Amino acid sequence: MTDLFQSAGLEEAAPRPLADRLRPKTLDEVVGQDHLLTGTGPIARMRAQGRLASLILWGPPGVGKTTIARLLAEDSDLEFEPLSAVFSGVADLKKAFERARARRAAGRGTLLFVDEIHRFNRAQQDGFLPVVEEGTVTLVGATTENPSFELNAALLSRCQVLVLKRLDDAGLDQLIARAETEMGRTLPLDDGARTALRSMADGDGRYLLNLVEEAFTFDPATPFDAAALAQLLNKRATAYDKDREEHYNLISALHKSVRGSDPDAALYWFARMLEGGEDPLFLARRLVRMASEEIAIADPTALMIANEAARTYERLGSPEGELALAHAVVHLATAPKSNAVYVAYKRARRLAKETGSLMPPAHILNAPTRLMEQQGYGKGYEYDHDVEGGVSGQDYFPAEMNERPVLYEPKDRGREAAIRERLERWRALRNERRKG
């Protein structure tokens, strides 16, 4: 249906943003997604075979999800039916399905594109199942959220999930070159400012072109440097959502950097989370956890430093208190590592569940009454401080456990190395006593 402006040809003459003017006309023009669109990529294979499966396009903003869906419809000779889960409800879905059924009856297929598909609730997502199964529509959903968490398993089983990548520097440079060709002149930026411009875009092609369009409005006598550009253009906030996948991805990166003894990477991920607006107290609590899980007795000061860093932040607040947290990050990353206590704790919990309500051995029970003495409580107990070496070698596990389990196995690094030597001597003493 055309309106008055379209019929008069005025719509084409209306001003259009640079990002819209540079929207790819074919799939071959799409930048940064060669792993999907070329060679043996899944979309390339579908095009070669002349078939198109229902897809979920998962990726950050501004990497081409909508463009790819639109071009797939053209490439497959399907009617492009766009919906946004932000603005659409059940009534809109039903109307879209009815239009698709009418087209199918007339011999034409429909590509139903659903932007932000993760915003539909579970019941609404279930509504797609019959029309996808019967082939009424080829569904292409776009999402910035992890489909594993946000979409029904039933819907995922009927769609192929394709991951789109944030644009790298080469892809962003391609877009800048296209913009310069479109505008017929070179951006008024020196090399440092071009690097800064790519950094501002943070892998988002649409945002980059918006910045480029704004930069073209200036006509300086000499090209801008990075500092001048930063004053003219607003830098976007780092992509980070404190209650969604990016939150878990970055805390995982911080934790594994500490575990891998890489203080530089650990500081980087720590700073990324702070820049994204993460609560420093959340980071403080995780550092305490890392000290216990990854280091423990190999460096007993690690837990003390992590706790003190948390208390320091509580006392000073931001930004002064964050330095104490950075101190803890570096200490934990450079400390000797051992997960022996963590592993032993998990073994002990499993063993406690398996063995139920076994009583402690009688010789280590107190006997405050005569009856308990008659039952053998405390009989044969040796006071460890009174024996040579301070270790009696008695068995403290339940008598029903014939085999002594080994739960704690210290590493041979940090302070655990000395503990390991002592435990080997004490275990030998217990084994000798058991045999005797």
Side-chain angles (χ1 to χ4, degrees), residues 4-5 23 36 40 44 69 82 98 113 118 167 212 214 216 223-224 239 266 273 308 312-313 324 329 334 343 382 418:
L4 181 62
F5 297 101
R23 191 180 294 276
L36 302 177
T40 59
E98 289 170 4
F113 174 68
H118 62 276
L167 301 189
V212 167
E214 188 173 349
F216 269 126
F224 289 123
M273 296 187 81
E308 283 304 314
T312 299
Y313 180 82
V329 167
T334 56
V343 172
E382 298 179 39

Side-chain angles (χ1 to χ4, degrees), residues 18-236:
L18 180 63
D20 186 50
R21 300 204 304 271
L22 291 179
R23 191 180 294 276
K25 304 295 190 300
T26 68
L27 287 168
D28 295 332
E29 294 180 8
V30 174
V31 169
Q33 310 304 332
D34 288 353
H35 64 293
L36 302 177
L37 300 171
T38 63
T40 59
I43 292 179
R45 292 199 308 272
M46 290 179 195
R47 294 178 69 193
Q49 296 167 4
R51 62 173 186 84
L52 179 61
S54 288
L55 305 173
I56 301 296
L57 303 179
W58 172 29
V63 295
K65 298 187 291 295
T66 303
T67 295
I68 288 175
R70 186 181 297 276
L71 294 175
L72 281 174
E74 294 179 8
D75 192 66
S76 305
D77 195 26
L78 299 173
E79 185 74 21
F80 184 72
E81 175 92 38
L83 282 176
S84 170
V86 177
F87 302 111
S88 304
V90 173
D92 300 294
L93 289 177
K94 288 181 177 179
K95 290 176 182 177
F97 296 159
E98 289 170 4
R99 288 193 293 270
R101 290 190 177 99
R103 290 190 200 102
R104 191 183 188 196
R108 183 166 174 77
T110 300
L111 187 150
L112 177 62
F113 174 68
V114 182
D115 197 18
E116 303 287 337
I117 191 172
H118 62 276
R119 293 184 181 272
F120 277 136
N121 62 37
R122 302 286 173 170
Q124 289 169 321
Q125 291 178 29
D126 284 340
F128 291 108
L129 302 181
V131 293
V132 170
E133 280 190 344
E134 67 193 19
T136 301
V137 303
T138 297
L139 175 65
V140 178
T143 178
T144 56
E145 304 296 335
N146 190 330
S148 301
F149 302 143
E150 304 296 336
L151 299 184
N152 283 357
L155 183 58
L156 284 177
S157 71
R158 291 161 174 81
C159 301
Q160 186 172 346
V161 177
L162 303 182
V163 180
L164 281 75
K165 299 178 181 178
R166 66 189 298 277
L167 301 189
D168 59 15
D169 285 349
L172 295 174
D173 279 336
Q174 278 186 264
L175 293 183
I176 293 173
R178 290 181 185 177
E180 290 176 327
T181 300
E182 171 72 15
M183 299 298 291
R185 56 195 175 99
T186 303
L187 272 172
L189 308 176
D190 66 14
D191 290 342
R194 282 176 175 265
T195 300
L197 186 69
R198 292 196 302 265
S199 176
M200 289 178 183
D202 196 24
D204 184 332
R206 180 173 52 243
Y207 187 69
L208 172 79
L209 291 176
N210 291 339
L211 292 176
V212 167
E213 187 168 25
E214 188 173 349
F216 269 126
T217 64
F218 302 104
D219 189 18
T222 58
F224 289 123
D225 60 15
L229 181 70
Q231 290 181 338
L232 295 169
L233 303 179
N234 292 322
K235 185 180 186 302
R236 76 188 309 179

